Amino acid sequence: MFVFVTIIFVFVAYTISIKFVFYRYSQLWRHLRNKISTPVYTVGNASFCPTQERSSALLRNSGEDKPRVTASETRALLVTAHPDDECMFFAPTVLKLVESQAAVYLLCLSTGNYNNQGLQRKRELLDSCAVLGIPSDHVTIIDDKELPDDPAVQWSTALISSLILKHIRNYSISVVLTFDGSGVILHFLNLSVPTGCQIFSLHSISLLRKYVSVLELPVSWLLPSDFCCIIGWEEYKRAKKAMLCHRSQLLWFRRLYILFSRYMLVNTFQGITVETKNVKIY
């Protein structure tokens, strides 16, 4: 009897904690959104500090007389390696940014042509982006022999850096979101980023945390992060719909991923310190 009561108590307490996370997040989202809407300015070796007070005198580009980027002017660049990464790992972030009227751009570094399905996967990516709210003219898919969809090939760091930097400059990007520091596409830690542009990398988590779905929310809430996106049931259904657009990839384990992955509900990011350096543009 004692064990049964304890289990019931733990279940009720955890359910309440999950509801509390959703409630507090809805209250704090405006603050979190402003965190990426206001540029961070680094000089020399200054450290990234997403919660620091920022003077209204700071401009988007130090050499230009332009106002700061506001919430309505936020331009976010999502950098992924393959088609389907945008919804498998970043759907909560894309949906929250689109909901906040941010302009979201996607740079996909390969066509996913490992099994000669490149053309189909391009179409699936565009369909997925349409569901998530990313316009087709905001989507760039790179098809370059130096960036093959082959796990045995190491991608060109210089080429990736140049592609990202071009996008940042061409579209006046204020925030870049991408995979964690151990991923191949985060070799642009030494990228020459224009003043005021922030870079966030997605947190990697343990296998246990990754596949407990909504039960992981209180853990993500308690652990430190520089930026966080959490979605509810209606938004989850959109994320699921986007995943289903990638029909060529819907193997049985992908369907289990949709049901159990924490990344379908929450994204947490770490801010990356960047410095001004020279990089060759190809």
Side-chain angles (χ1 to χ4, degrees):
M1 182 64 180
F2 174 77
V3 174
F4 177 75
V5 172
T6 301
I7 292 174
I8 294 298
F9 175 78
V10 171
F11 174 78
V12 172
Y14 211 81
T15 301
I16 292 174
S17 70
I18 291 172
K19 289 183 177 295
F20 173 78
V21 169
F22 278 113
Y23 170 73
R24 284 294 293 155
Y25 182 78
S26 66
Q27 291 184 317
L28 294 174
W29 168 242
R30 182 181 296 273
H31 168 73
L32 293 171
R33 183 192 63 188
N34 289 340
K35 183 183 293 187
I36 67 167
S37 298
T38 307
V40 168
Y41 296 85
T42 59
V43 179
N45 294 321
S47 298
F48 176 92
C49 183
T51 58
Q52 69 184 356
E53 292 296 326
R54 304 186 182 97
S55 168
S56 60
L58 294 175
L59 302 178
R60 180 169 58 183
N61 296 297
S62 58
E64 301 177 12
D65 186 20
K66 294 182 179 180
R68 294 186 306 168
V69 175
T70 64
S72 62
E73 296 172 328
T74 301
R75 290 173 171 262
L77 175 63
L78 177 62
V79 182
T80 63
H82 316 96
D84 78 10
D85 288 344
E86 79 290 341
C87 53
M88 278 191 68
F89 299 103
F90 296 99
T93 301
V94 173
L95 290 170
K96 294 302 292 185
L97 290 175
V98 169
E99 175 190 308
S100 300
Q101 306 300 313
V104 181
Y105 294 79
L106 172 64
L107 173 61
C108 184
L109 295 173
S110 76
T111 62
N113 197 40
Y114 186 67
N115 293 317
N116 296 317
Q117 295 177 312
L119 291 177
Q120 180 179 356
R121 297 196 68 183
K122 284 181 182 180
R123 292 193 294 268
E124 293 171 349
L125 175 58
L126 293 175
D127 290 342
S128 171
C129 287
V131 172
L132 294 174
I134 305 176
S136 59
D137 58 346
H138 285 196
V139 179
T140 301
I141 306 170
I142 303 300
D143 188 0
D144 192 293
K145 63 181 180 181
E146 291 191 46
L147 302 175
D149 182 23
D150 186 345
V153 177
Q154 183 173 356
W155 286 357
S156 166
T157 300
L159 177 57
I160 294 173
S161 299
S162 297
L163 290 170
I164 297 172
L165 184 57
K166 280 184 178 179
H167 268 69
I168 292 174
R169 290 177 171 170
N170 290 344
Y171 298 106
S172 301
I173 298 298
S174 57
V175 58
V176 177
L177 303 144
T178 187
F179 286 109
D180 65 282
S182 63
V184 65
I185 60 174
L186 254 183
H187 283 293
F188 63 85
L189 280 171
N190 293 322
L191 184 68
S192 174
V193 179
T195 302
C197 181
Q198 302 179 72
I199 295 181
F200 290 91
S201 64
L202 186 68
H203 278 154
S204 284
I205 56 176
S206 66
L207 194 63
L208 177 61
R209 286 180 59 196
K210 184 176 180 179
Y211 291 112
V212 291
S213 189
V214 71
L215 297 178
E216 200 273 339
L217 284 183
V219 179
S220 288
W221 185 256
L222 292 174
L223 293 177
S225 63
D226 293 321
F227 183 55
C228 176
C229 291
I230 300 174
I231 57 175
W233 175 245
E234 292 301 320
E235 293 161 312
Y236 166 78
K237 288 193 292 186
R238 285 185 63 188
K240 178 181 177 181
K241 184 178 179 181
M243 278 288 292
L244 294 177
C245 290
H246 293 278
R247 292 174 291 277
S248 65
Q249 307 302 303
L250 285 180
L251 303 176
W252 65 268
F253 55 86
R254 290 292 177 91
R255 295 184 182 276
L256 290 178
Y257 182 96
I258 294 173
L259 290 174
F260 296 108
S261 176
R262 162 262 202 194
Y263 287 112
M264 296 293 292
L265 292 166
V266 57
N267 291 153
T268 54
F269 293 87
Q270 173 187 0
I272 298 177
T273 302
V274 295
E275 301 175 10
T276 301
K277 297 181 179 182
N278 294 322
V279 62
K280 183 178 180 181
I281 305 300
Y282 292 90

